[in-house]
Structure formats: structure tokens, C-alpha cells
Amino acid sequence: MITHQFEVLVVGAGGAGLMAGLYASRAAKTAIITKLYPTRSHTGTAQGGIGAALGSQEEDHPEWHTYDTVKGSDYLGDQDAIEFMCNEAVPAVYELEHMGLPFDRTPDGKISQRPFGGHTNNVTGKPVRRACHAADRTGHMILQTLYQQCIKNNVTFFDEFQAVDLLMVNGAAAGVVAIELATGEMHVFHAKAVIFATGGHGRIWEITSNAYAFTGDGPSMVMRRGLPLEDMEFFQFHPTGIYKLGILITEGVRGEGGVLINGKGERFMPKYAPHVKDLASRDVVSRAIYTEIREGRGVNGQNYVYLDARPESIMKYAAEDGRTNPDGTPYKITAEELLKKLPDIVDFNRVYLGIDPMTQMMPIQPTAHYTMGGIPTNKFGEVVIDDKNTVHPGLYAAGECACVSVHGANRLGTNSLLDLIVFGKHAGLRAAEYANQADFEKLPDDPTAEARAQFDGLRNGSGKENAFDISREMKKVMFDEVGIYRSGTVMESAIDKVLELKERFKHVRVSDTGKIFNTELLNGWELGNMLDVAELVAVCALNRTESRGGHTREDYPNRDDKNWLKHTLAWSKNGKIEIGYKPVIITKYQPKERVY
Ligand SMILES: Cc1cc2nc3c(=O)[nH]c(=O)nc-3n(C[C@H](O)[C@H](O)[C@H](O)COP(=O)(O)OP(=O)(O)OC[C@H]3O[C@@H](n4cnc5c(N)ncnc54)[C@H](O)[C@@H]3O)c2cc1C
């Protein structure tokens, strides 16, 4: 057992972890441990952009961004935190620019911005250009920029170290236990403050845009230590994943003017969202696609539709919609310009499907994309543990694994990258501030005991069961039964299935007994996390008897503010899920019916 000591320890090196590490390192001795090499984190796949009301190309205001985010959240987002994020967005984007992030530019040298779903001019109701982008590689550029800044600032990195347990002493976070992938050794990281920035858990669903590493490690470790998770029933299905593969086609394609077409060749979004059409919020568009498919209007009777981004189609539909350039001239785009703006999308289609989106339509279906729920925090990244938002000493969370909650029941595109930058920064600042006045807690004699017990279970199981089968069955039942459309009896059976899989998981035995890069063992451990998270998601989804944002109940089709304008908190206690609630913070905007 090797022990390290740092004042602030960050788990995860995506956008949130790097930003937290960068800020913490300015005031405290900081390390980042990460199971992936930092620049391989999922943030690197983010395509479309980061939202900020810069107003580079047309009028825009942080107030409009705030209102759109509240509305997009279906009024479940905490409005104080949303306002805070949208105000901080503008300086945050300029800070990234000054760090060297190569944003695309307008002809006069400003940061270029494009429209994105749910972001509007609050006066006209029309889409507004708010997403700042670096081609369709915005997240890649954020990761590279922040990683370089961290190196410059002497943040210590432990690459390919997987955290497997959170240490708590006297009710405060005291570090983590981690496995070094290359050697299989257990390391103890003793810290005064721990920041979780471990990303999401989309791999619990069959069709997903999420990277293999999105297995919910952070939330599961926190949950196993008796802390609650918030709003886990809310998960976002992105409307446009490549058919069968789930790989994301950014909403930026629709931002540039692409439209959705059903199997009869009809553009269908105006029927579901007459004002913003193809740029409605993701929950609305995903449900619309699903409805088209269910009513027999999928392509060739299959469960997919088309995304049409051929330049001549874009211009035809733009003319129909009266879309103009910022100078008022009719909207025009050439294949060459599209290729420059969306190079990766064009490549994905060519490589994975043999399709050229400049001349052919892309087959797409909704794909599990983003978790709105997670480890509850306040707007400073401090983990909070009850309905009174009591702060848990020494523990912080930021990014997709956290729930601030700024996304409420549904996240708007471009607001996640923003969330990482804003709340990563504040988590880093607060953690360093805390570490500067706290002492190291004394660790128990063997801090690795509980982590070892989990791995021993996987090494010594009866071997009757196979982890791959369990994983496949979990993903299928979650996608089919706790997916875009949900209902009570179906989810009850899904929960039974997940419980059965959890039982079977106890009989898994890992066959690789080696220590070096034992990915079978670590994937087995991750499957345990995914099963815990899947159960919690399904139980919370069954419990919430209304439809709101990304959570659609066929048996309770309406939003029910009287009974359900509240956050869910869920604890795992003695093998059972316990549910509580906490109020939504409403400042300026009283809940209204959503108009699309
Ligand atoms: C394909 C795709 C496109 C997207 N496009 C956009 C977009 O255009 N705009 C937008 O706003 N949002 C977008 N999103 C969402 C956004 O990119 C993610 O929500 C965000 O990047 C998550 O960042 P993060 O820092 O929280 O986690 P990640 O970037 O995933 O980083 C997680 C980190 O945690 C580490 N980690 C995890 N578990 C452990 C462990 N047990 N021990 C040690 N380390 C661990 C990993 O190594 C990794 O470094 C997109 C998401 C996807 C999947």
C-alpha cells in the first residue's frame, strides 16, 4: 500500500476536474487522479459549443440565457444557481479565450456563435446565436487548453489511477483509495478536501453517446458512503445519435439549419414545436422522433428517422422559416462552409455509415446522452446532504457527476460545458479555501479494507455468472423500460430485473488473476457501480408520478407542480433505496406551461 498526501485531491480530469485542479492549485497543494489519460476524457468529444450570452453577432443577455435555462429545465432547476452560471458564462468564455482556446471567429474577429436548441431571443422567441464553438471540436479544445494550463501550474497528475473508494473520517472526506492500472497496486490518497469530477453514467443504457468510461463511479462511491444522490430519474436522451451506434450527431447540425425528416419524407418538427421547430429542447425533439416511429412513420418501418443537412435542403427550409443572416439577407450556406463548421460529423458519417451528409440524409435515433442528476451540491461545488442543503465537510463535486441543480429536468445544449467551467472553478476555489484552514484527519489503520473486500468478491465469486451477460441485460432493460417513455408497471418489472441482475452479479468471478492492466477486474467493479446506479434511477423514476423534462410517464402525462415541484434525494440504506425531497429554489420565474 502506497500513501500520498495532498491538500486537495481531484478525482477526474475532464473539463470539470481540470478546471477545479487549476483553481485549487493556485492556493493549495493539489493532485488530480484519473482513470483515463486526461485528454481522453469524455469532455473531448463535446462537439457543438459552450453557451454564453456574449452577443457577438446579435443582441443577447445573460438574463435571456437564465430564463431559457429555467424554462428548459421545466422549472426544476434552482434559479439562484442558474442565474449565477449564466452571469459567470461571459467572463468564463473570455477566460478560456485568454488561456489560448482557439474559438472560431467572425469576419471582424469576435468569437463566432451559433444557435442551439432552447436558446432564444426572449423578445422574438426566435433562436439566438449563443453557442461559442471551435468547429465541432469545442470540448477537445477545452480539454487541451485546460490540461496545458494545469501542467503550467504544476498540478500533479496521476494518470491511469482509478479511484475505488472514498475515505471518510469523523464525518469529513479524508481522501480516496485508488488502483494504479499499470501495476494493480492500491494507493491511498490522503487529502483534506476531495473533489469528485468523474462524469456521467450513460453506459447503463444500450444505445448511448457516452464513452466506455461513463460508468457512474463517483456517484456510486458517494452513495456507498451513505450520502444521497439528487434527481437521478432525470436523464436526457439526445435526439440525434447515429442509428444503432448511438454516436452523437451534434445539435449544431440543426443549429446550422439541418432538419428532421420522417419515413414519408415529411419535416415533422413544426407539428410538435411550431415556434422553434427543429431547435426545440432535446426532450421535446426526442419524444417527437419516438412518436413518429411509434406511429409508423420511421424510415422503412424501422426505428429511425433522417437528419437532413444537405446544403440545398438547409437553404430550402431556411427560406420557408424566414431565417436570415445577421445582416438580414436570406440564410445561405455552401457545402464547403458546412465542412469547415462540422468536419467531424461529416467524417463520422463517412467512416461509420459510408454516407456523405452533403449529398445524403443521415439515419438517426435518440441516444442516451446526459444525466441531469448526481451528487447534490450548492453553487460553490460543496456537496450538500439533506433538504436544508447542509454542507458535507471536505467533499466537493463538479461537472456531470454533480447536480447543482442548473439543468433541472432537462439540460439545454451547450450548458454542460459551461457548468464544468463555472462550477469546476468554484469547487476548486472552495476546496482550497477549506484545505487551508483544515487539518488532515487521521486515517484508519487499513484504509483499503473496504475497497479490498469489493475486489475480493469479484475474484472469489462462484463463477456461475458472466459479467458481460449481466451488463448486456441491464443495458437492454434500462433502454427498453426506463428510457424515453416510462410507465409504472413496466418500470416495476425493470426494477425486479435489475435486482435479479444484482443478485447474479454476486456470482461473477473474474478469470484474469494478473495485476497489470487487469481491465476485466476493473470493468467488473464498474459493472457493480452501474447496477447500483441503474436501480436508483429506476426506483426514482417509478416514484415520480408526473412527466417533466426528460422524464416522461405515459401513465402520468402531465407536469404536476402541486405535488412534484421538488427535487428527489435518494439514499441507499441497508440494501434498500430511501427517498426524500428538497424544495426547488425559485427566485424570479414562476413556473409556466412550456410553449414550444
Ligand atoms: C458525444 C458528446 C457530445 C457532447 N457535446 C456537448 C456540447 O457540445 N456542449 C455541451 O455543453 N455538452 C456536451 N456534452 C456533454 C458534456 O461534454 C459532458 O457532460 C461533460 O464533458 C462531462 O465533463 P466532466 O468533466 O464532468 O466529465 P468527463 O469529461 O467525462 O471526465 C470524467 C473524468 O473522470 C475520470 N474518472 C471517472 N471515474 C473515475 C475513477 N473511478 N477514478 C479516477 N478517475 C475517474 C475520467 O478519467 C475522466 O478524466 C457532450 C457529451 C457527449 C457524450
Side-chain angles (χ1 to χ4, degrees):
M1 186 176 85
I2 305 153
T3 303
H4 313 261
Q5 211 178 49
F6 289 90
E7 284 173 306
V8 176
L9 181 75
V10 184
V11 183
L18 292 176
M19 195 71 181
L22 180 61
Y23 268 87
S25 68
R26 291 179 178 162
K29 191 180 164 208
T30 301
I32 299 182
I33 69 170
T34 169
K35 69 178 177 181
L36 302 172
Y37 186 75
T39 50
R40 298 186 75 91
S41 304
H42 191 76
T43 299
T45 68
Q47 304 164 355
I50 173 165
L54 306 183
S56 290
Q57 286 153 289
E58 58 182 313
E59 185 183 359
D60 198 8
H61 305 281
E63 292 84 346
W64 290 359
H65 190 182
T66 302
Y67 177 63
D68 288 339
T69 304
V70 170
K71 191 173 121 191
S73 82
D74 222 350
Y75 294 91
L76 195 76
D78 287 330
Q79 295 182 12
D80 59 334
I82 294 175
E83 191 170 1
F84 180 75
M85 178 178 81
C86 296
N87 284 332
E88 293 247 319
V90 177
V93 165
Y94 288 135
E95 186 184 7
L96 290 174
E97 181 193 31
H98 297 167
M99 286 177 183
L101 199 149
F103 283 112
D104 289 352
R105 300 278 163 188
T106 62
D108 55 350
K110 293 181 184 155
I111 293 176
S112 171
Q113 296 186 278
R114 61 176 155 226
F116 240 77
H119 293 278
T120 64
N121 173 315
N122 284 189
V123 177
T124 63
K126 292 230 161 105
V128 72
R129 290 176 174 77
R130 191 177 286 150
C132 313
H133 53 91
D136 52 2
R137 299 176 185 135
T138 314
H140 173 84
M141 298 304 185
I142 289 180
L143 267 189
Q144 300 291 335
T145 304
L146 292 178
Y147 185 47
Q148 288 165 13
Q149 292 292 322
C150 285
I151 297 288
K152 177 177 158 207
N153 224 42
N154 292 325
V155 175
T156 308
F157 279 90
F158 291 86
D159 298 334
E160 300 190 330
F161 277 66
Q162 184 152 1
V164 292
D165 197 11
L166 166 64
L167 297 172
M168 301 261 240
V169 178
N170 295 328
V176 303
V177 177
I179 292 185
E180 182 178 3
L181 271 59
T183 62
E185 285 306 325
M186 274 203 179
H187 292 242
V188 173
F189 288 86
H190 189 193
K192 293 179 183 173
V194 177
I195 305 175
F196 272 81
T198 53
H201 54 254
R203 298 302 303 186
I204 68 175
W205 282 277
E206 189 179 21
I207 306 282
T208 176
S209 67
N210 285 189
Y212 282 98
F214 261 32
T215 50
D217 299 0
S220 324
M221 282 185 261
V222 164
M223 179 165 78
R224 279 198 285 274
R225 288 290 172 191
L227 304 185
L229 299 180
E230 180 174 345
D231 289 342
M232 291 294 278
E233 61 273 38
F234 293 105
F235 195 86
Q236 177 170 87
F237 288 78
H238 192 294
T240 57
I242 292 181
Y243 178 48
K244 284 191 181 161
L245 300 175
I247 296 171
L248 194 76
I249 301 292
T250 174
E251 199 171 306
V253 172
R254 282 172 288 134
E256 300 298 348
V259 299
L260 294 161
I261 304 286
N262 66 18
K264 294 177 127 181
E266 301 158 341
R267 180 188 187 189
F268 54 85
M269 277 315 296
K271 200 165 63 188
Y272 298 91
H275 296 287
V276 278
K277 302 175 186 159
D278 297 83
L279 284 176
S281 298
R282 290 175 179 175
D283 54 339
V284 178
V285 184
S286 286
R287 281 195 295 271
I289 294 174
Y290 216 83
T291 307
E292 290 294 305
I293 290 170
R294 282 213 302 201
E295 292 176 0
R297 294 185 294 278
V299 177
N300 298 326
Q302 305 287 311
N303 54 349
Y304 70 95
V305 296
Y306 284 130
L307 175 59
D308 188 354
R310 295 172 297 179
E312 68 279 13
S313 306
I314 289 184
M315 287 187 286
K316 178 180 126 198
Y317 292 114
E320 256 176 48
D321 294 350
R323 178 171 176 174
T324 58
N325 293 315
D327 64 2
T329 54
Y331 183 70
K332 281 210 169 71
I333 197 151
T334 63
E336 205 184 357
E337 285 163 336
L338 265 181
L339 273 172
K340 231 181 177 171
K341 288 184 164 174
L342 303 163
D344 278 358
I345 294 306
V346 175
D347 264 5
F348 290 165
N349 276 278
R350 288 181 179 157
V351 171
Y352 295 113
L353 300 171
I355 277 181
D356 180 358
M358 294 301 118
T359 55
Q360 290 166 289
M361 295 192 282
M362 300 170 251
I364 56 96
Q365 76 181 127
T367 183
H369 185 56
Y370 182 85
T371 173
M372 273 73 74
I375 305 165
T377 73
N378 60 23
K379 65 184 180 201
F380 303 114
E382 295 167 320
V383 171
V384 292
I385 51 169
D386 57 23
D387 57 345
K388 297 182 190 63
N389 288 317
T390 306
V391 171
H392 186 281
L395 190 58
Y396 303 80
E400 194 170 335
C401 72
C403 178
V404 182
S405 132
V406 280
H407 311 302
N410 171 59
R411 170 173 75 82
L412 292 189
T414 77
N415 271 355
S416 170
L417 291 179
L418 178 59
D419 165 353
L420 311 180
I421 301 305
V422 170
F423 298 110
K425 166 180 166 179
H426 286 282
L429 285 172
R430 279 287 160 117
E433 202 178 289
Y434 173 85
N436 282 330
Q437 49 79 38
D439 293 322
F440 282 102
E441 298 284 350
K442 188 179 170 330
L443 291 180
D445 290 342
D446 181 8
T448 63
E450 284 166 61
R452 274 183 211 283
Q454 289 180 44
F455 285 94
D456 286 348
L458 282 164
R459 288 199 188 91
N460 303 327
S462 66
K464 271 200 318 215
E465 294 288 346
N466 173 308
F468 181 74
D469 290 339
I470 295 177
S471 173
R472 195 166 32 83
E473 288 175 44
M474 169 193 70
K475 287 166 200 266
K476 184 156 175 36
V477 75
M478 290 301 289
F479 198 77
D480 293 347
E481 300 184 5
V482 197
I484 297 177
Y485 280 105
R486 301 166 168 184
S487 73
T489 42
V490 175
M491 281 194 289
E492 276 166 18
S493 94
I495 293 168
D496 288 346
K497 178 74 187 176
V498 173
L499 290 174
E500 174 209 312
L501 294 172
K502 283 184 85 167
E503 241 350 90
R504 284 169 52 192
F505 177 69
K506 293 179 185 158
H507 296 282
V508 166
R509 185 172 63 222
V510 171
S511 57
D512 182 351
T513 54
K515 293 190 87 178
I516 300 170
F517 283 104
N518 190 339
T519 46
E520 190 191 353
L521 183 67
L522 288 162
N523 291 350
W525 178 77
E526 288 171 345
L527 175 59
N529 295 339
M530 288 196 284
L531 287 165
D532 286 347
V533 170
E535 182 195 358
L536 200 83
V537 168
V539 169
C540 293
L542 177 65
N543 182 61
R544 185 174 281 269
T545 48
E546 66 156 355
S547 291
R548 184 186 295 272
H551 172 68
T552 309
R553 292 281 303 250
E554 297 196 273
D555 43 356
Y556 296 94
N558 298 321
R559 194 176 84 193
D560 174 2
D561 286 339
K562 192 160 157 275
N563 295 303
W564 286 107
L565 188 58
K566 57 190 177 188
H567 298 290
T568 305
L569 292 176
W571 290 259
S572 172
K573 287 189 181 160
N574 306 320
K576 283 238 155 9
I577 310 286
E578 254 176 46
I579 291 193
Y581 303 97
K582 78 173 179 184
V584 174
I585 297 172
I586 293 175
T587 54
K588 291 189 186 152
Y589 307 105
Q590 286 307 316
K592 281 207 256 178
E593 219 170 294
R594 279 164 100 195
V595 179
Y596 305 115

